Amino acid sequence: MKLHQLVRPEIYKGGKRPSFAAAYARAARRYGFETGRNAGFAKRNNVVVKVKSKHNKDTEHEVPAESIQNAHAHLVASLEYVVPVKIGTPGVTLNLDFDTGSSDLWVWSSELSRASRQSKGHTIYDPTKSSTAKKASGTWNISYGDGSSASGNVYTDTVTVADVVIEGQAIELAEKLSSSFLQDGGNDGLLGLAWPQINTVQPEPVATPVENMINKKLINPPVFTVKLGRGEEAGFYSFGNFIDTSVTPNPITYTPVDNSQGFWQVQSTSWTLNGETKERSGNTTILDTGTTLLLVADDVVDAIYGAIEGATYDDEQGGYKFPSNATIPEVSFAVGDTLYKVNPQDIAFGDAGDGYTFGGIQSRGDLDFDIFGDVFLKSVYVVFNQSEKTVGLAQRDD
């Protein structure tokens, strides 16, 4: 086993990131939160909406799947990190979203209409060209309140991810994709790495790739690891016994996972601002590579931006921004009993215009747990252990 390189989709080459509005709306869609005090987006009546302002939470407009009004960005723009996965014999390699917040393995396929298959920039899996493909029972359907959806049937085939070869892996083939997916040229599907119970295949969920790796004793220890990069570096991942201690000199500290909701959810009961520790009794967070931003409670958000001179809430875009030349405070969040510092260059998420920068830390709305997305995960090396229900983190210095 060895460390393998993640891939950054073409639309994110050169260190580009998803737009702020697209990243925030995607999180609202996935977790279905209301605005709370500071969130500029919410999910209402199963539809993602942009609210009018910090002080007026009425709906300004619905957020369609194809684009975000005034933002010119695809809502379902692919994740910032994809992983090459070989499917079939002799096989085809597809770039799939690397997503610890979902549990489906679905791909662009020959089952799609001819027009859909010809969408620019996608590699297609065709089971008729694989000697190991077999039709399986079951169907799948992933639909979102913003109108985007993907659905289809199920095959089994040989799947190779990293150095691990999984025979008889269930693969969800897309027969229908909404137009928002068809406009997204960043990936060829999704590799879900959350817990099996949130897999969407009906009438019975299918085993996820990680579940099969463990059950078939293909990896030992039963872990996968990830280092998300920034800028030109996409980062690395591994499955099995290669835990790269050269990523950071800092120790890996393990903490128990609550997987009752299907996510990698852990305790996060303290945080620090410029060295001052603040307690958050009973708080938890989800470690999610499928969410771009770091989403926390409103009082935490207010404290962070209150410590940045000139920071202000942008009603039009729906979140906090600050002067691009401002001094960013030192911010750390706990996972288990250990605090991890968030790199300031990730807190400075992206250009907000007029000399301002969007903050990578924003409100979780009315959720009662945090979401530690890529803005947090880029500061740590993570070891996910599904068998032992633990997750290990090490502070990175890069």
Side-chain angles (χ1 to χ4, degrees), residues 320-335:
Y320 272 101
K321 63 183 180 181
F322 53 84
S324 300
N325 61 357
T327 299
I328 298 173
E330 183 175 306
V331 179
S332 300
F333 292 98
V335 170

Side-chain angles (χ1 to χ4, degrees), residues 99-115:
D99 187 4
T100 61
S102 63
S103 297
D104 288 271
L105 168 56
W106 73 263
V107 299
W108 282 66
S109 79
S110 56
E111 308 282 293
L112 289 161
S113 69
R114 181 181 297 273

Side-chain angles (χ1 to χ4, degrees), residues 342-353:
V342 183
N343 194 308
Q345 63 184 301
D346 299 315
I347 296 176
F349 180 76
D351 182 28

Side-chain angles (χ1 to χ4, degrees), residues 67 70 86 132 163 169 176 182 185 209 227 255 273-274 277 280 286 307 352 396:
S67 63
N70 301 323
K86 180 185 173 186
T132 46
D163 289 332
Q169 172 63 49
K176 296 180 180 178
L182 297 177
K227 174 196 174 186
T255 192
L273 179 61
N274 286 330
T277 300
R280 307 178 69 200
I286 290 172
R396 282 162 46 192

